[in-house]
Amino acid sequence: MTNQRSVKIPSCTWNRPIGLGWDKPYTVRYASNIDDGPWHGMPLGGFGAGCIGRSSRGDFNLWHIDGGEHIFKNVPACQFSVFESNSTSSQAYALSTQPPEDSSLQGWKWYPESGGEGESPINQQYKTGEYHALYPRSWFVYENVFQAQLTCEQFSPVWADNYQESSYPVAVFLWNAHNSTDAPITLSIMLTWQNMVGWFTNALKSPQVRVRDDGSPVYEYQPRWGESQGNYNQIVEDTQQFGCVLSRVGNDALQEGDGSWCIATLKHPEVEVFHHTRWNPVGMGDDLWQSFAQDGSLPNSIDANPAAEGEQLGAAIAIRFTLQPGETLEIPFVLAWDFPITEFAAGVNYYRRYTDFFGNDGNNAWAIASTALQQYQTWRSQIQNWQQPILDREDLPDWFKMALFNELYDLTSGGTLWSAASKLDPIGQFAVLECLDYRWYESLDVRLYGSFALLMLFPELEKSVMRAFARAIPQGDDTPRIIGYYLTIKAESPIAVRKVPGATPHDLGAPNEHVWEKTNYTSYQDCNLWKDLGSDFVLQVYRDFLLTGADDVEFLADCWDAIAQTLDYLKTFDLDGDGIPENSGAPDQTFDDWRLQGVSAYCGGLWLAALQAAIAISEILLNLNLGDLGAPVASTGGTPAQRWLAMAVQKSTYETWLKQSRPIYDEKLWNGQYYKLDSNSGSDVVMADQLCGQFYARLLGLPDIVPSDRALSALKTVYDACFLKFCQGEFGAANGVRPDGSPENPKATHPLEVWTGINFGLAAFLVQMGMKDEAFKLTQAVIRQIYDNGLQFRTPEAITAAGTFRASTYLRAMAIWAIYLAIK
């Protein structure tokens, strides 16, 4: 115990009164898209380990335990509760403002929400506490209910350049209790958890894939929710720690969903520890609550018998202590889980990264929890040491610091995969979903902006993703598919093969097939025809090399063949021989509802920048002794001299293409003020992302692809038309409007949406071009829409002026780290 209150919450958190709802949160644009409502909080758990979420009303409601799958459901039995007494009175609350919607746990008393029960005469001024979040930490500060000052800090061990603890399936809940009164206070803190072992796997081992109304392929997911037969709970302890392991009667062979949970705490000489290993989480709850609400104790019941069919099990541990006036106690609780297998298609199993450190038998939840109880203080210090230099910067506003860290939530809850290490992949393979609605991994066009966070904070994971794309480019898959886009416009769909050899795949596959091996899952468009993916690949490879020290030439060598193949493939779309591949008139790029015709500003600029990057890469590799790098430099093999000569020929070819195409770009697209959408449609639309290629060229220290004065003119036009004149700058920059801010087609979809990640990329370009104030105004408008309107921790791809959103939990929004990179 100490006589000092030590809770220090950074000033730049996202915060909200506990339990306070939203008057008019954003709602989903299309009924088929996921809309869980605004009650989302910061996720807890390591990368690829599965994660859980706890909202600002205190309920545990997000369950991403099965890799790539989404369950949003309040489980009331998973909860913290607090008992408090002094010499005259006592009270006990379960610390969620959301009581069960069924008949369960009616015997419990639930925490009052801010602005609700007990409301003061000044409307909405009564506050029962505040929730704060700054990923990977969040806090509940309880106010006006308990006499003691209570704070619960939550975190998982995630910090930059950490390739071990960041993978752990664990959450720390660090409680700080302080008595500021002049009389003793007795407190008891209880953690209850339902045994959910076996629930998180698809009961449909070969789910049927269908095309839904927005043209996206989907499959049915039926978790084994509530199937608890054979589950049991048992006490575990040593001299310093006490816990309860929630497990299941073992099968012969471990499968997805098999494993264990553990709730645990530290023993302390001033603390009493209580437990109950078998209570009914779907009953009235009196078997637990009666004793807890009376004096903060539990009956210390031990029953490890497995659950019968239809039976549910809960476990509970509690600590009770008395604080004298002025005293403070800080004590941790830990939640750990161990579900070591991620299954894609039936029988396609991967062990998770954390199994490299704890084993893969599914019985390590106690070992993980025990490690957390020993190391949580070090972990918290590591997080603080990583964040503090950014938090201390006076040139960054608090709202920007808040969003910069909180947008990293997607690395935890974006269906993230991180496999165990192998000889080929020494730190495993990594992947994040494009989003929950478009459930396929690492969409390359999206990560052109969205991968900056991974690159800057976990560069080895970033390079592992790009190596997976490099391996996939030479592969082919002749599976015929219907293209969903044509169904949405009620036209007959062409039949397209899934993957053409040499084409850059759009994505690394989906959770129901074989991620990393079976690519190009999306069938909304024929991505073999896209004109941006090949350029995106080349630019990201060179970017990852340059911004990670410019010394990993083996990475460049691993990717070179794929670079050569995809540029050659992309050049086949240059039908008129002018040096630049043309867009076909179909939506054949990341704006995949937007038809571009002929040479386009977006794809053409990326092509020019990619050629420059490929030339720079070839110069680096040509200056090396290629014999030392081995066969990956050239799939055709040959002697080092032959490989060197082949690369020199390729470099010369790219120089020829670049010389030919550079003047064509300006000649066909520059209109004296900005770059036209494309060369053939006649549109006067100002495209917000028209100079993405120029942004990348400057970022990578390559020659400008357009004159700098024209780039600045175009950028100012974008800022004026797409941002200031679009709804008076309230929402951010629309993707494409006419110079006066009006829509070319009022019924258009993508042009009139504000894409969060594109806006952040545009802001990074503004910073790069000396327009930092404009960049912050643009970014702040988007951040305000997200974090003031119930979109926190589920940032969508797109918002509209009508207060709707599309595609929540979107990868591209991590592009906010590109703004920080441009500033830094």
Side-chain angles (χ1 to χ4, degrees):
M1 289 191 181
T2 66
N3 291 315
Q4 183 176 342
R5 194 141 198 263
S6 58
V7 178
K8 294 181 180 179
I9 300 175
S11 63
C12 56
T13 61
W14 179 78
N15 53 80
R16 192 166 184 85
I18 293 174
L20 181 64
W22 285 258
D23 290 335
K24 194 177 180 182
Y26 268 80
T27 55
V28 79
R29 182 173 188 179
Y30 300 114
S32 61
N33 275 201
I34 292 171
D35 187 356
D36 296 316
W39 292 106
H40 284 259
M42 193 203 74
L44 295 159
F47 299 171
C51 77
I52 59 176
R54 190 184 186 199
S55 83
S56 57
R57 63 187 178 189
D59 57 327
F60 288 91
N61 58 12
L62 181 77
W63 308 94
H64 285 187
I65 301 298
D66 185 354
E69 308 299 350
H70 173 65
I71 300 172
F72 187 82
K73 181 181 178 68
N74 178 19
V75 181
C78 297
Q79 192 50 253
F80 278 100
S81 302
V82 168
F83 165 86
E84 180 186 63
S85 71
N86 56 23
S87 58
T88 60
S89 64
S90 65
Q91 58 181 342
Y93 290 99
L95 298 181
S96 171
T97 65
Q98 177 68 17
E101 295 179 353
D102 56 20
S103 60
S104 66
L105 305 186
Q106 291 185 2
W108 292 24
K109 188 173 184 180
W110 299 87
Y111 196 71
E113 63 188 26
S114 296
E117 179 185 347
E119 185 171 324
S120 74
I122 304 174
N123 189 37
Q124 297 295 321
Q125 292 301 303
Y126 176 76
K127 191 164 71 170
T128 59
E130 194 91 12
Y131 173 78
H132 297 260
L134 189 72
Y135 181 90
R137 297 197 291 164
S138 56
W139 298 259
F140 284 90
V141 181
Y142 299 96
E143 303 172 22
N144 301 319
V145 174
F146 301 112
Q147 292 192 359
Q149 295 175 0
L150 287 176
T151 300
C152 179
E153 178 181 351
Q154 312 172 133
F155 64 91
S156 294
V158 174
W159 61 86
D161 293 310
N162 169 19
Y163 298 94
Q164 180 168 330
E165 289 88 350
S166 293
S167 73
Y168 288 1
V170 68
V172 176
F173 302 88
L174 188 57
W175 282 88
N176 186 287
H178 176 71
N179 181 2
S180 60
T181 73
D182 56 5
I185 296 176
T186 295
L187 291 162
S188 182
I189 303 173
M190 175 173 68
L191 174 56
T192 53
W193 208 257
Q194 188 161 356
N195 190 327
M196 297 180 282
V197 174
W199 295 15
F200 298 101
T201 187
N202 199 349
L204 303 174
K205 289 303 179 185
S206 298
Q208 184 176 358
V209 179
R210 59 181 176 84
V211 178
R212 69 183 180 198
D213 61 353
D214 68 353
S216 299
V218 295
Y219 60 91
E220 191 172 1
Y221 180 68
Q222 291 184 4
R224 297 188 181 276
W225 194 265
E227 295 183 19
S228 299
Q229 183 176 2
N231 288 4
Y232 66 93
N233 305 332
Q234 61 182 1
I235 294 298
V236 288
E237 62 179 314
D238 57 27
T239 56
Q240 296 180 311
Q241 302 163 345
F242 184 92
C244 186
V245 170
L246 293 63
S247 193
R248 190 185 190 104
V249 175
N251 297 318
D252 292 337
L254 201 70
Q255 300 176 7
E256 181 182 69
D258 293 338
S260 53
W261 297 86
C262 181
I263 53 176
T265 188
L266 282 178
K267 296 178 179 179
H268 190 286
E270 302 294 333
V271 163
E272 297 174 272
V273 180
F274 302 95
H275 58 268
H276 194 319
T277 68
R278 190 187 179 97
W279 61 279
N280 182 9
V282 294
M284 291 290 291
D286 290 339
D287 48 348
L288 202 68
W289 197 257
Q290 191 169 7
S291 61
F292 182 73
Q294 180 177 339
D295 62 8
S297 69
L298 298 176
N300 289 340
S301 171
I302 296 179
D303 184 345
N305 287 315
E309 184 176 358
E311 190 176 14
Q312 298 294 322
L313 296 184
I317 58 175
I319 57 165
R320 186 173 67 185
F321 53 93
T322 298
L323 294 177
Q324 298 301 319
E327 282 189 330
T328 297
L329 179 65
E330 185 175 85
I331 195 158
F333 283 80
V334 165
L335 170 69
W337 56 97
D338 179 19
F339 300 100
I341 292 176
T342 292
E343 182 182 50
F344 301 140
V348 180
N349 294 327
Y350 278 74
Y351 287 119
R352 289 171 155 161
R353 167 63 171 173
Y354 75 86
T355 63
D356 289 334
F357 313 107
F358 288 102
N360 56 23
D361 61 10
N363 296 319
N364 295 293
W366 167 244
I368 297 167
S370 179
T371 299
L373 289 171
Q374 295 169 36
Q375 299 185 6
Y376 73 91
Q377 290 175 317
T378 300
W379 293 351
R380 185 168 62 158
S381 294
Q382 293 276 18
I383 295 168
Q384 291 171 325
N385 292 340
W386 159 47
Q387 293 187 331
Q388 204 60 46
I390 295 176
L391 300 184
D392 287 343
R393 288 187 61 149
E394 296 182 359
D395 61 328
L396 301 177
D398 277 356
W399 59 262
F400 181 78
K401 298 172 188 174
M402 179 278 295
L404 187 69
F405 285 110
N406 281 333
E407 287 303 318
L408 296 175
Y409 82 94
D410 197 42
L411 292 176
T412 295
S413 65
T416 312
L417 305 176
W418 190 358
S419 69
S422 67
K423 187 174 181 180
L424 184 61
D425 297 289
I427 60 163
Q429 289 188 278
F430 186 83
V432 177
L433 291 173
E434 177 175 333
C435 67
L436 297 177
D437 285 298
Y438 314 146
R439 202 167 301 183
W440 39 85
Y441 281 98
E442 294 293 347
S443 301
L444 192 68
D445 56 317
V446 174
R447 74 186 322 278
L448 183 68
Y449 282 143
S451 60
F452 275 94
L454 192 66
L455 166 65
M456 296 168 68
L457 302 174
F458 298 91
E460 294 307 314
L461 294 181
E462 165 63 23
K463 285 190 279 191
S464 78
V465 173
M466 295 312 297
R467 281 189 167 99
F469 275 102
R471 295 168 192 166
I473 284 172
Q475 307 303 317
D477 185 339
D478 292 335
T479 304
R481 301 194 298 183
I482 293 175
I483 302 305
Y485 166 76
Y486 293 93
L487 302 183
T488 68
I489 62 173
K490 296 180 172 55
E492 184 176 354
S493 169
I495 302 299
V497 300
R498 177 162 177 161
K499 170 69 171 69
V500 175
T504 298
H506 170 271
D507 55 76
L508 293 178
N512 62 315
E513 292 191 340
H514 191 170
V515 185
W516 301 300
E517 298 295 327
K518 196 170 177 61
T519 63
N520 251 12
Y521 184 82
T522 182
S523 58
Y524 179 65
Q525 296 286 2
D526 180 1
C527 294
N528 296 296
L529 303 179
W530 279 24
K531 309 308 186 297
D532 54 352
L533 293 173
S535 300
D536 293 346
F537 172 72
V538 178
L539 289 169
Q540 288 176 67
V541 168
Y542 190 46
R543 178 201 66 180
D544 293 356
F545 168 77
L546 278 184
L547 298 184
T548 58
D551 55 5
D552 189 356
V553 293
E554 186 175 356
F555 170 67
L556 291 183
D558 288 345
C559 298
W560 175 255
D561 273 354
I563 288 171
Q565 287 185 39
T566 198
L567 289 178
D568 285 349
Y569 176 83
L570 189 51
K571 185 61 165 62
T572 65
F573 295 106
D574 175 20
L575 302 181
D576 61 4
D578 67 357
I580 305 181
E582 288 86 36
N583 293 90
S584 66
D588 53 4
Q589 26 65 44
T590 194
F591 302 94
D592 55 4
D593 266 355
W594 202 352
R595 293 173 176 266
L596 306 180
Q597 301 177 37
V599 174
S600 69
Y602 181 72
C603 295
L606 290 172
W607 167 253
L608 293 176
L611 287 178
Q612 293 190 152
I615 293 166
I617 292 169
S618 64
E619 287 176 347
I620 294 167
L621 294 177
L622 286 169
N623 287 328
L624 297 173
N625 180 355
L626 299 189
D628 294 339
L629 288 172
V633 180
S635 57
T636 54
T639 66
Q642 290 171 326
R643 297 201 301 271
W644 190 96
L645 182 60
M647 188 178 295
V649 170
Q650 288 167 322
K651 175 176 178 286
S652 177
T653 299
Y654 302 150
E655 290 170 336
T656 299
W657 291 350
L658 180 63
K659 184 178 180 180
Q660 179 188 14
S661 57
R662 188 193 296 274
I664 295 294
Y665 185 81
D666 262 52
E667 176 185 314
K668 289 191 174 183
L669 299 174
W670 177 247
N671 69 2
Q673 183 182 356
Y674 59 94
Y675 285 86
K676 294 187 294 184
L677 181 69
D678 57 41
S679 61
N680 291 357
S681 69
S683 171
D684 67 346
V685 159
V686 180
M687 186 186 200
D689 206 25
Q690 60 184 265
L691 286 182
C692 180
Q694 168 68 9
F695 164 73
Y696 253 89
R698 284 212 165 184
L699 175 74
L700 305 182
L702 299 168
D704 288 339
I705 64 169
V706 299
S708 60
D709 59 333
R710 293 186 177 184
L712 190 59
S713 173
L715 194 54
K716 289 179 177 178
T717 303
V718 167
Y719 184 80
D720 181 62
C722 298
F723 176 46
L724 296 180
K725 290 179 178 174
F726 177 75
C727 299
Q728 294 75 51
E730 182 181 352
F731 294 92
N735 279 328
V737 293
R738 304 183 73 190
D740 64 358
S742 65
E744 180 182 46
N745 173 9
K747 296 183 179 180
T749 52
H750 288 183
L752 300 183
E753 289 180 329
V754 173
W755 285 14
T756 55
I758 295 295
N759 271 252
F760 296 155
L762 176 59
F765 190 21
L766 285 164
V767 173
Q768 189 185 72
M769 296 295 288
M771 300 172 67
K772 183 179 177 182
D773 289 346
E774 290 85 349
F776 273 162
K777 288 177 183 176
L778 173 65
T779 305
Q780 187 174 19
V782 177
I783 294 301
R784 184 180 292 124
Q785 292 300 325
I786 296 168
Y787 286 91
D788 289 355
N789 293 293
L791 294 175
Q792 73 290 336
F793 304 108
R794 57 171 185 151
T795 307
E797 160 79 314
I799 59 176
T800 72
T804 63
F805 72 89
R806 179 172 59 80
S808 63
T809 317
Y810 206 76
L811 169 64
R812 187 153 25 204
M814 283 188 287
I816 193 170
W817 280 83
I819 304 174
Y820 178 63
L821 177 64
I823 293 170
K824 190 175 73 165

